[in-house]
Amino acid sequence: MVQGGNVHDDPYGTPGGDVYDWYQRGVKLLQEGSPAAAAALLERAADAEPDSRSIREALARAQFNSRQYAEAASSFRQIVDANPAEDYAYFGLGLSLWRTGDIEGAQEPLAIAVAMRPDENHYVSALKSVRATLRARREM
């Protein structure tokens, strides 16, 4: 059960409950397939707790899943800047940049993710796809 689930939002758009409630509700919305609603709620939580890595990661995932790729890239970049050991954030940053059309920019964070976790097949696959796209563009 999500904490704060019985708290009603006020008419001015501020969600009821505290930041933890917003995070829990946002994650639940994301899991239930409502990434745009999750992103809106998690953005409130991230504004209130800008240094929370878990909130920022959930926000970035919600933004990516709702096709807000530039915003997702920004959120993933904030995680990477705060903690360069976050392989998933590098992966998310690379995918987000790729989706914005910045294929060249996507290569480096994906390569870092692969270097950190060479056993993650989806990291390796994404990097190979980006590099293949870049090769094909150069050969045109």
Side-chain angles (χ1 to χ4, degrees), residues 63 67-76 93 96-97 99-100:
Q63 290 167 327
R67 299 181 179 174
Q68 300 174 46
Y69 301 122
E71 293 84 353
S74 176
S75 292
F76 280 122
L93 175 58
S96 298
L97 291 171
R99 293 289 176 96
T100 65

Side-chain angles (χ1 to χ4, degrees), residues 13-126:
T14 303
D18 61 16
V19 175
Y20 182 76
D21 295 325
W22 302 345
Y23 168 73
Q24 289 294 321
R25 287 165 43 205
V27 168
K28 185 172 189 222
L29 285 165
L30 184 58
Q31 291 170 342
E32 292 174 346
S34 298
L41 192 55
L42 291 164
E43 192 168 324
R44 291 272 190 152
D47 287 345
E49 294 285 340
D51 295 331
S52 171
R53 191 210 54 79
S54 57
I55 291 173
R56 182 69 55 192
E57 182 180 308
L59 172 59
R61 288 178 33 237
Q63 290 167 327
F64 185 88
N65 289 346
S66 61
R67 299 181 179 174
Q68 300 174 46
Y69 301 122
E71 293 84 353
S74 176
S75 292
F76 280 122
R77 190 178 308 280
Q78 288 178 31
I79 297 169
V80 165
D81 288 346
N83 186 355
E86 293 284 343
D87 61 282
Y88 181 77
Y90 280 107
F91 174 67
L93 175 58
L95 287 185
S96 298
L97 291 171
W98 187 9
R99 293 289 176 96
T100 65
D102 184 1
I103 311 298
E104 188 71 43
Q107 185 174 215
E108 182 179 346
L110 288 172
I112 293 170
V114 169
M116 295 171 85
R117 296 288 306 272
D119 57 317
E120 290 290 340
N121 292 333
H122 52 284
Y123 291 11
V124 173
S125 178

